[in-house]
Amino acid sequence: MSNVISVSGLVKTFGRTRALDGLDLTVQAGEVHGFLGPNGAGKSTTIRILLGLLRQDSGTARLLDGDPWRDATTLHRRLAYVPGDVTLWPTLSGGETIDLLGRMRGGLSPQRRAELLDRFELDPRKKGRAYSKGNRQKVALVAALASDADLLILDEPTSGLDPLMETVFQESIQEERRKGRTVLLSSHILAEVEALCDRVSIIRRGRTVETGTLAELRHLTRTSITAELTGPVPPLTGTAGVHDLWTQGNRLRCQVDGDALDTLLGELVRVGVRSLVSRPPTLDEMFLRHYADDLTGAAGERAVVRR
Amino acid sequence: MSALTGTGGLIRLILRRDRVRAPVWFGLVALLVIGVAASVAGAYPTEEARQVFLHTTNGDPTQLMMIGPIYDPSPGGLAAWRVRGQAALLIALASLSLVIRGTRAEEETGRAELLGSTVVGRHAALTAALTVAFAANLVTALVVALGLMSQGLPARGSLVMGLSVAAASWVFAALAGLTAQLTKTARTATGIAVTAMGLLYAVRAVADVGESSWVSWLSPFGWTQRMRPFAGDHAWPLLPVIGLILLLVAVAYRTSARRDLGAGILPPRLGPAHATPGLRSSLALAWRLQRGTLLAWAVASTAFGAGLGGVARSAAEQLNASEALRGLIERMGGSRPVDGFFAFVIYLMSQVITVYAIQATLRLRAEETSGRADAVLAGPVGRLRWAGGHLAITAAGSGIVLAGLGLGMGLVHGLSTGDPGGEIARLLGASLTRLPSVLVLAAIAALVYGLLPRLAAIIAYTALGLCLALEFAVELLRADPSVLRVSPFAQTPGLPIAEFTVTPLVLLAAVATGLTAAGLAALYRRDLG
Ligand SMILES: Nc1ncnc2c1ncn2[C@@H]1O[C@H](COP(=O)(O)OP(=O)(O)OP(=O)(O)O)[C@@H](O)[C@H]1O
Ligand SMILES: [Mg+2]
């Protein structure tokens, strides 16, 4: 078994809203998979289908070699889930909640529990209603991380954590990865995604627009080039893959598609290069490009990579 | 900006928000007092009848405990005795809930923060809530006074009566103003105030049974009782009342000045760091979540049963005098008035207890919409097991609450007849016989929860309302009693006067099981959340 999650052509409508519109998602065993997309793109809906809480209208979803709806109970022994908006039972203390959730899954190790509580600086004696948003999230995180589940499904698990706890979270996930666990991580925090994820899937309006490693995705986006040549800049306007060109005498600035980089550099070298600065796209630029509405067309479609 | 800036605006806000709730609640109390006064005059028309009643009552410890002694055999004196205590409890409840809704509840939901960031002083909410509560009680007192005077009762006594009811209520409005400053949640603030009210009423009860006047001085209910409407008409007990109110309000303001918005003074209690070994399944969780409500219902229903057991004999006579109710008792097949009374109240109370059963069933919906069900269902717990746990507790809990009613009635009534064992067995059985009817309504709630979760509460409570409405249609509008056949409550035999038959119980249980199964099947198929 190499795919822990495989979803294809998933469709889910709520009344007139089409929350999922043919979504594909593949998560391989042992990887940390980033699940990204703008608000309302359908991330939580996908996760709730994977948890057997919602039923898809069409398309297929497989989870740990089972059917998420039919085999929910048995599959759930092997996974742990942290929702983005954690609500706790107001009269149960955090410690009681962690114990209860752990025991329902078949027990949890007391040392691991104590270690996680310590690491996340969580007081387990507070009642559910007395925790702040971040602390409620920590309760759910400790419960999930203390389990020995094969798969962790985390839906924006750090949206309420402070930067210090964000670091603790990242360390914990790195540890889980080393133990060979698979993680599906939905997140809006790009630094977190960059630090943790082996591969990412970006979805928009219920469809997958990109899947791949961060390196692959970078390759698909534009690099910005600033150069000073030894002679006048050759005529580049109209060259495929070169955008936003600005020239002045021997100097030029432009954006270039990953696959046109070679051609462009060839042209420049022929004239002679005095200095050149190439800046790869920042993660922000990359995601903004996928999130922004005006880029839905050809570029988005072409960029889909299936592995 | 002074600490009171914005009080006027907040008063208008409370008046607007509670424009239905407050008039209904306070108005019903006034109507209760006036109505009882009117009926007492009719029930005991002669001086002689009233004298006899005074002697039997003042010699009956259950009456002394529940209500207190009668001070004067005039119609006013009897009316004051009959209704003053209950009216004071009801209106005090209205006051304290009004104050807490206007203060702590606002802070807890964060609305106060929104308001507080505009031009509102830090004492404004407390001042506004207390002002409205004090004024509402004063108006109620005047309405009561006018209502009693219009029946020809003495003016002075009528006014003292109204004030004595309002005075007790002022004390608890002030107390609520204080508890709202102490705790973090409105629930706890209400809990403390209501518990204090219950204890202070109990102090009065003990004092009256033991005829111990110094004990009675420990309770504001004892003070207002000493105002003796229509039996001396004292105003001086208002002095300690006002003194206590001033003290409570002063402490409330001091506390309000010293604490942060949203915070309490009493630290939120910490829970255990580890769960008890038993908390390991969705059923155990359901029990943990439901046991508080169940306990409250069980205690209330036992206490209410005890109260009914205490008044059974005198009430049975009054019931017998009422034509409509006699018709009902005869329809149930009875002749002994006391048994008729019990059959009637068990029938009625089983419908009230159904509110518990529906509430407990709809707990599923609350768990689902809050997202807490996800945490359980994302674990290895099937939907059926999760829902089944809550439903099993609902069914058992309904039985426990009904049993409490029968137990309370049997014990107190049995003590007065000298056969507690026999009465408990009889009335416990009679109450539990109603369980299948209650469960049919709970099963309707389970069915709509599965099929139409958004409408579950409305449909389930409407179904219960219809059962009650049918009853009224038959009693008051003289509709054909056969329409009652659709009500599950009319199907169970009206013990202890009717014959016990097992068939309808089995049928109702089968219907309840079928409806629940259909509801679970629908739940199994649908989306959650
Ligand atoms: N129960 C529901 N009823 C109706 N519409 C829903 C429901 N759940 C989700 N939707 C709609 O489906 C779409 C996808 O929502 P979803 O919660 O999956 O987005 P998301 O990617 O998780 O967004 P976010 O980043 O804000 O969490 C949204 O348009 C949302 O309004
Ligand atoms: Mg989401």
Side-chain angles (χ1 to χ4, degrees), chain B residues 278-481:
Chain B
L279 189 59
R280 57 186 319 110
S281 64
S282 66
L283 179 65
L285 173 65
W287 167 244
R288 175 71 189 270
L289 297 176
Q290 294 220 25
R291 69 182 183 191
T293 317
L294 172 57
L295 184 71
W297 270 92
V299 168
S301 122
T302 310
F304 202 76
L308 291 171
V311 301
R313 282 204 277 188
S314 69
E317 280 152 31
Q318 287 177 14
L319 268 184
N320 224 24
S322 147
E323 208 178 308
L325 297 175
R326 197 169 59 220
L328 173 79
I329 292 169
E330 275 163 12
R331 215 177 61 231
M332 287 175 153
S335 49
R336 279 184 62 199
V338 173
D339 282 352
F341 170 75
F342 280 127
F344 173 65
V345 294
I346 290 174
Y347 170 74
L348 216 60
M349 281 301 293
S350 68
Q351 307 193 26
V352 174
I353 288 170
T354 304
V355 173
Y356 160 78
I358 293 178
Q359 207 181 31
T361 305
L362 295 180
R363 187 87 202 203
L364 289 170
R365 177 72 183 148
E367 289 291 291
E368 180 188 341
T369 49
S370 66
R372 292 185 295 250
D374 290 5
V376 175
L377 294 170
V381 176
R383 293 175 181 207
L384 298 188
R385 197 139 66 84
W386 167 72
H390 279 277
L391 293 179
I393 289 167
T394 303
S398 304
I400 292 172
V401 178
L402 280 169
L405 178 73
L407 190 72
M409 290 191 304
L411 182 68
V412 176
H413 181 60
L415 285 175
S416 79
T417 63
D419 177 21
E423 294 293 347
I424 288 176
R426 233 162 51 92
L427 293 173
L428 197 60
S431 299
L432 283 176
T433 311
R434 295 293 183 178
L435 182 60
S437 308
V438 174
L439 292 186
V440 167
L441 268 291
I444 291 176
L447 176 71
V448 278
Y449 169 65
L451 284 176
L452 301 165
R454 270 165 233 265
L455 301 178
I458 292 183
I459 294 182
Y461 285 114
T462 306
L464 176 61
L466 282 179
C467 293
L468 278 166
L470 278 182
E471 185 59 48
F472 283 118
V474 172
E475 293 318 322
L476 305 176
L477 309 175
R478 307 195 177 280
D480 189 342

Side-chain angles (χ1 to χ4, degrees), chain B residues 240-251:
Chain B
V241 167
I242 292 169
L244 179 60
I245 290 172
L246 288 177
L247 179 71
L248 290 170
V249 170
V251 178

Side-chain angles (χ1 to χ4, degrees), chain A residues 73-89:
Chain A
T73 314
T74 37
L75 293 179
H76 292 177
R77 275 182 217 292
R78 300 171 53 197
L79 66 82
Y81 164 61
V82 176
D85 196 1
V86 180
T87 44
L88 300 173
W89 293 281

Side-chain angles (χ1 to χ4, degrees), chain A residues 12 48 52-55 69 73 76-77 87-89 91-93 95-96 99-100 103-104 113 125 127 129, chain B residues 270-276 279 285 288-289 367 370 372 374 377-380 383 524 526-529:
Chain A
K12 176 75 195 174
R48 291 173 64 78
L53 297 169
L54 302 179
R55 196 173 210 172
W69 179 270
T73 314
H76 292 177
R77 275 182 217 292
T87 44
L88 300 173
W89 293 281
T91 51
L92 262 63
S93 72
E96 286 179 305
D99 285 345
L100 171 73
R103 286 171 188 172
M104 287 200 299
R113 178 188 188 274
R125 292 169 308 161
K127 294 284 179 74
R129 69 164 84 85
Chain B
L270 291 178
H274 291 270
T276 54
L279 189 59
L285 173 65
R288 175 71 189 270
L289 297 176
E367 289 291 291
S370 66
R372 292 185 295 250
D374 290 5
L377 294 170
R383 293 175 181 207
Y524 188 68
R526 73 172 170 84
D527 287 347
L528 281 186

Side-chain angles (χ1 to χ4, degrees), chain B residues 26 74 95 116 239 264 348 405 421 460:
Chain B
F26 287 93
S74 65
S95 292
L239 288 175
L348 216 60
L405 178 73

